[in-house]
Amino acid sequence: MQKIWKGALHILVGFGGLLLIWQLVASFAGFNPALFPSPWQALLGLGELAGNGTLWIGIQDSMIRFLIGYCIAAVLAISLGLVLGWFSRAWSFVNPVVQWLRPISPIAWMPFIVLWFGIGDLPAIVIIIYAAFFPVLLTTVSAVVKVDPIYLKVAKNFGIQQPQILFKIIFPAIFPQIMNGLRLALGTAWVFLVAGEMVGAQSGLGYLIIDSRNNLRADHLMAVMIVIGIIGFLLDTGIRQIERLASKNWSAAAGKGGA
């Protein structure tokens, strides 16, 4: 309980300081309120977007796209990472291509994605898949390569063959590392979802940012930015809790196995 209160105090102090700085800049920096709204103006704008339903529709559309893209990327990256990590010779050919593609921002692909998939949900989903795929793939491959050989010896002694070794032995052994990769991918995917919606979608939080800019509503724009940050914070907090729980259960299971 003390740890929870301490964490809450850190959050309150941190965000309280940020709000204070924001208010001071809005009050004394000489910016036009229409261009740099105060925290109160942003709060009023948030209430307006929530009241007319625009905000909730944007959150719903963004979350649906995010979950679809993130889940597809996770399944593809983990499955491919298990195979490529096991067949290291194949990975030696694929790795240079991955290292070439990985630094290219998903937004750089946006003109092609819009041309190929049009406007709507699909471009944003493709952006999420691309953004989340590489962190999970590289983490999985690295974990498979470094797996403890004792697991393979046990599998051999019990006569376990492929593909059961990958999915019944290797995957459980590297699951904590995979969770770490999934957490890294989640933050990246959320950032690029919003960026993708600013270009290739007609709804969602990213679209609301562009719409607010076009309508010269800086209060709405700032309100949507706040919501994006809150959702990103909640997503990261949630997956950290899942990661901690998975690691705890894994350690307990490993302890029982060793006993």
Side-chain angles (χ1 to χ4, degrees):
M1 182 62 69
Q2 184 178 1
K3 187 176 181 180
I4 295 175
W5 281 109
K6 187 176 181 180
L9 178 63
H10 290 165
I11 292 174
L12 288 174
V13 172
F15 281 102
L18 178 62
L19 287 173
L20 178 60
I21 294 173
W22 180 2
Q23 181 62 56
L24 290 174
V25 172
S27 299
F28 301 108
F31 291 115
N32 188 323
L35 301 178
F36 190 83
S38 68
W40 177 247
Q41 289 173 310
L43 183 62
L44 292 177
L46 181 62
E48 185 178 342
L49 290 173
N52 61 28
T54 305
L55 179 64
W56 308 118
I57 295 173
I59 293 174
Q60 172 186 286
D61 291 346
S62 291
M63 290 304 300
I64 290 173
R65 293 173 186 138
F66 175 78
L67 291 174
I68 293 173
Y70 182 73
C71 290
I72 291 174
V75 171
L76 289 176
I78 292 172
S79 301
L80 190 59
L82 288 171
V83 174
L84 291 175
W86 181 259
F87 297 102
S88 56
R89 185 170 295 181
W91 174 241
S92 65
F93 291 100
V94 176
N95 186 35
V97 178
V98 171
Q99 298 303 333
W100 170 67
L101 288 172
R102 184 174 59 91
I104 302 175
S105 170
I107 300 303
W109 290 100
M110 203 63 208
F112 293 105
I113 292 174
V114 171
L115 289 174
W116 296 335
F117 301 103
I119 300 295
D121 293 337
L122 199 53
I125 292 173
V126 172
I127 286 289
I128 298 167
I129 294 173
Y130 187 92
F133 178 80
F134 293 108
V136 181
L137 175 69
L138 294 174
T139 301
T140 304
V141 171
S142 177
V144 173
V145 170
K146 297 176 182 178
V147 72
D148 193 335
I150 191 66
Y151 294 110
L152 305 181
K153 292 180 181 179
V154 171
K156 184 177 180 180
N157 291 337
F158 281 93
I160 301 176
Q161 302 296 327
Q162 291 291 3
Q164 286 80 8
I165 290 179
L166 282 179
F167 295 100
K168 292 186 178 181
I169 303 297
I170 303 298
F171 178 74
I174 65 173
F175 185 71
Q177 294 94 314
I178 290 176
M179 284 301 305
N180 184 53
L182 288 172
R183 181 189 170 195
L184 294 174
L186 182 141
T188 303
W190 182 248
V191 168
F192 284 108
L193 162 68
V194 175
E197 288 180 336
M198 293 172 68
V199 179
Q202 297 297 314
S203 63
L205 295 172
Y207 172 77
L208 285 180
I209 287 181
I210 294 298
D211 188 60
S212 300
R213 182 202 66 182
N214 293 340
N215 291 312
L216 301 178
R217 291 298 302 267
D219 54 338
H220 285 183
L221 194 153
M222 192 69 76
V224 176
M225 290 172 60
I226 292 171
V227 171
I228 290 170
I230 290 173
I231 294 176
F233 176 78
L234 292 175
L235 288 172
D236 182 72
T237 302
I239 200 167
R240 272 192 296 165
Q241 293 300 323
I242 295 173
E243 182 182 8
R244 188 176 295 114
L245 182 62
S247 299
K248 182 179 179 180
N249 291 340
W250 171 255
S251 300
K256 290 180 181 179

